[in-house]
Amino acid sequence: MTKARLLRLSVVLVSIFMILLIIVYWDNVGTAHFYLHTSFSRPHSPGAIEAGEDWEALPDVDEFLAKLLSSSLKQNSSIPRKTEQLLVQGSNKPVVSNLEENVRGYDWSTHKDRNSLDQEKLQVERQRTLREFCANSSFTFPTKERSFDDIPNYELNHLIVDDRHGVIYCYVPKVACTNWKRVMIVLSESLLDQGVPYRNPLDIPREHVHNTSTHLTFNKFWRRYGKFSRHLMKIKLKKYTKFLFVRDPFVRLISAFRSKFELENEDFYRRFAIPMLKLYSNHTNLPTSVSEAFGAGLKVSFSDFIQYLLDPRTEKMAPFNEHWRQVYRLCHPCQIDYDFIGKLETLDEDAAYLLQLLKVDRLLRFPPSYRNRTASSWEDNWFAKIPLAWRQQLYKLYEADFVLFGYPKPENLLKD
């Protein structure tokens, strides 16, 4: 019996040693530095799980990894004071050099005249709506019933992790994601400017913001942690503050169309505009460059774009591009219990409240809104020439996003 116990103990110790070895190895060869000395001290937010609360029963490997991460927390539980002081510095109105952002312009007003929202109650209501419809068996949509383990690794590429502050952000294109990515870069110190971490979000060039190598995302875990990647994801999902920002689905589509097809975008012209113009406008021998096409007056119409979205051949060729893919497919809200749900319609108030909850409001300010942001009141004009049947089909395509995030059904667009 004694020999058997010693043998089992030896196996356990060897297994622990191998796990540690694998974690250290993957950490060293990863594409970006991953902080195992993560701070788990979380701000209290509605629905958030505090570090001291009991977890649900986890597999043995999960428990071991959780204890490993928690033990290293004791040695490194806060950001160095020097870093905090550096981040606080920086102008309130940095020079914006990017052409697209100069054209759009920023709204630097403080919005003090806006009515302050009861943010805590607002968050409770948004989370209640989401959880109720996720649990409602009569409300169905694709992928709703699958578990987190069923989500393919490549579909987790929108979940950005900041281990320094214990934050996970699921970014949704056309919902202020450029500036939220900038915030995540500043917090995680994942990008340096002449050897020093960026201090002000708007100082970060746009091309770096959308470079996938800049961010640590869930889909990169497998490459670095192998079979332990899902265990680590689950631990972080339980411990970290998880947030996303959403927007009226139809307005988001209008914004995506304006950004990708009304401005000269070479990549989107070749990948999407040329096929749309051929399929839905019967154009042939199209120019190979977007500048030539625009010069000849060849542009994708909003009607072409809607036909493309509704065409069953589109998704057979490839999944929707992230700029018009549904939020439930990007962020998996029925599989991930988000602690904070922000909306673009209340961006300024929501952003300020979230940074306060994360206890980083002393380190940075959220960049200001664009002055000419696509407005909800534009929907009627944009959809005026879209046939009623198409509008109804489009609503069904995006219905889950409307319902899960509490956006009213646009009845005026769906009836004669």
Side-chain angles (χ1 to χ4, degrees):
M1 288 293 291
T2 303
K3 288 183 178 180
R5 288 179 181 174
L6 287 173
L7 181 60
R8 285 198 296 270
L9 181 60
S10 299
V11 171
V12 170
L13 290 174
V14 169
S15 299
I16 290 173
F17 175 78
M18 290 303 295
I19 291 171
L20 283 169
L21 190 63
I22 290 169
I23 290 175
V24 171
Y25 169 75
W26 282 107
D27 189 51
N28 287 336
V29 302
T31 56
H33 181 60
F34 179 74
Y35 293 86
L36 282 179
H37 56 271
T38 299
S39 170
F40 287 150
S41 60
R42 295 265 312 275
H44 178 72
S45 59
I49 300 175
E50 297 297 330
E53 292 182 11
D54 292 335
W55 296 6
E56 296 175 7
L58 295 173
D60 293 341
V61 175
D62 296 54
E63 292 180 359
F64 167 72
L65 292 175
K67 290 176 182 177
L68 174 65
L69 291 169
S70 297
S71 64
S72 53
L73 160 68
K74 296 177 183 178
Q75 299 175 1
N76 302 280
S77 60
S78 62
I79 307 171
R81 178 64 57 183
K82 183 177 180 181
T83 303
E84 289 191 2
Q85 292 171 346
L86 284 173
L87 291 173
V88 168
Q89 298 170 6
S91 65
N92 287 330
K93 298 184 181 181
V95 176
V96 181
S97 59
N98 181 270
L99 176 61
E100 183 177 355
E101 292 178 349
N102 272 328
V103 171
R104 291 182 178 186
Y106 282 108
D107 181 2
W108 290 104
S109 60
T110 58
H111 307 290
K112 288 182 180 178
D113 56 329
R114 296 185 181 184
N115 294 327
S116 61
L117 302 173
D118 189 332
Q119 284 286 343
E120 189 170 347
K121 289 183 179 178
L122 197 60
Q123 284 303 312
V124 169
E125 177 62 23
R126 289 174 182 175
Q127 290 176 33
R128 183 190 63 78
T129 298
L130 177 59
R131 288 167 186 159
E132 280 186 1
F133 282 105
C134 283
N136 187 340
S137 58
S138 63
F139 177 66
T140 61
F141 55 88
T143 75
K144 178 188 176 184
E145 300 302 327
R146 67 181 178 180
S147 68
F148 179 75
D149 287 327
D150 294 329
I151 302 173
N153 204 53
Y154 65 86
E155 289 187 20
L156 298 172
N157 61 330
H158 279 240
L159 291 154
I160 298 176
V161 182
D162 166 28
D163 285 302
R164 292 177 59 81
H165 300 84
V167 178
I168 296 173
Y169 163 52
C170 185
Y171 71 90
V172 178
K174 310 314 301 174
V175 191
C177 80
T178 299
N179 283 336
W180 276 116
K181 284 182 178 180
R182 284 178 165 135
V183 168
M184 294 296 285
I185 289 171
V186 170
L187 293 179
S188 63
E189 299 186 0
S190 60
L191 194 62
L192 303 180
D193 180 24
Q194 298 181 345
V196 178
Y198 279 97
R199 307 167 190 172
N200 194 305
L202 281 181
D203 289 340
I204 305 171
R206 192 180 185 90
E207 60 268 23
H208 295 331
V209 174
H210 295 296
N211 188 327
T212 56
S213 64
T214 302
H215 306 280
L216 174 62
T217 49
F218 264 10
N219 65 310
K220 295 179 181 178
F221 276 38
W222 175 256
R223 180 176 161 191
R224 299 173 61 185
Y225 301 104
K227 65 180 181 180
F228 302 112
S229 58
R230 288 281 166 154
H231 299 298
L232 283 170
M233 289 180 201
K234 290 177 183 177
I235 289 169
K236 292 177 189 298
L237 287 172
K238 286 182 177 293
K239 283 295 197 177
Y240 288 9
T241 301
K242 305 163 294 296
F243 77 94
L244 80 163
F245 271 73
V246 296
R247 183 180 195 174
D248 179 290
F250 279 4
V251 180
R252 178 173 168 244
L253 287 180
I254 296 170
S255 179
F257 175 79
R258 293 179 66 204
S259 173
K260 301 307 175 186
F261 300 110
E262 289 194 336
L263 298 174
E264 290 190 12
N265 186 309
E266 197 69 51
D267 180 49
F268 275 75
Y269 172 73
R270 294 185 180 184
R271 290 172 58 199
F272 303 106
I274 289 178
M276 288 184 204
L277 289 168
K278 287 181 178 179
L279 283 170
Y280 313 118
S281 294
N282 297 318
H283 286 293
T284 56
N285 300 319
L286 290 163
T288 56
S289 72
V290 67
S291 58
E292 290 179 81
F294 275 40
L298 295 171
K299 294 184 179 181
V300 168
S301 69
F302 190 59
S303 175
D304 293 336
F305 179 55
I306 299 303
Q307 286 185 80
Y308 169 79
L309 296 176
L310 298 177
D311 192 333
R313 293 172 293 182
T314 299
E315 288 258 45
K316 288 181 180 178
M317 295 292 293
F320 275 0
N321 179 269
E322 62 178 8
H323 291 85
W324 45 84
R325 194 180 309 163
Q326 297 92 330
V327 177
Y328 76 83
R329 295 171 64 186
L330 294 172
C331 296
H332 320 291
C334 289
Q335 290 79 25
I336 296 174
D337 190 15
Y338 285 93
D339 303 301
F340 188 95
I341 301 167
K343 292 192 174 184
L344 195 73
E345 293 81 3
T346 51
L347 175 63
D348 297 313
E349 298 88 346
D350 290 357
Y353 182 61
L354 176 59
L355 294 179
Q356 186 179 0
L357 284 177
L358 296 176
K359 299 181 181 177
V360 297
D361 51 315
R362 292 177 296 112
L363 308 183
L364 80 170
R365 289 175 54 200
F366 184 77
S369 308
Y370 289 132
R371 278 195 298 269
N372 59 344
R373 202 164 64 197
T374 303
S376 300
S377 58
W378 296 5
E379 277 185 330
D380 289 345
N381 292 333
W382 277 89
F383 284 96
K385 296 181 180 180
I386 304 300
L388 176 62
W390 293 8
R391 284 180 252 155
Q392 292 171 340
Q393 290 177 54
L394 192 69
Y395 175 76
K396 293 302 295 182
L397 197 59
Y398 290 88
E399 182 180 25
D401 283 356
F402 276 99
V403 174
L404 293 174
F405 300 108
Y407 286 100
K409 187 175 181 178
E411 299 286 359
N412 58 314
L413 299 179
L414 304 177
K415 296 179 180 178
D416 285 325

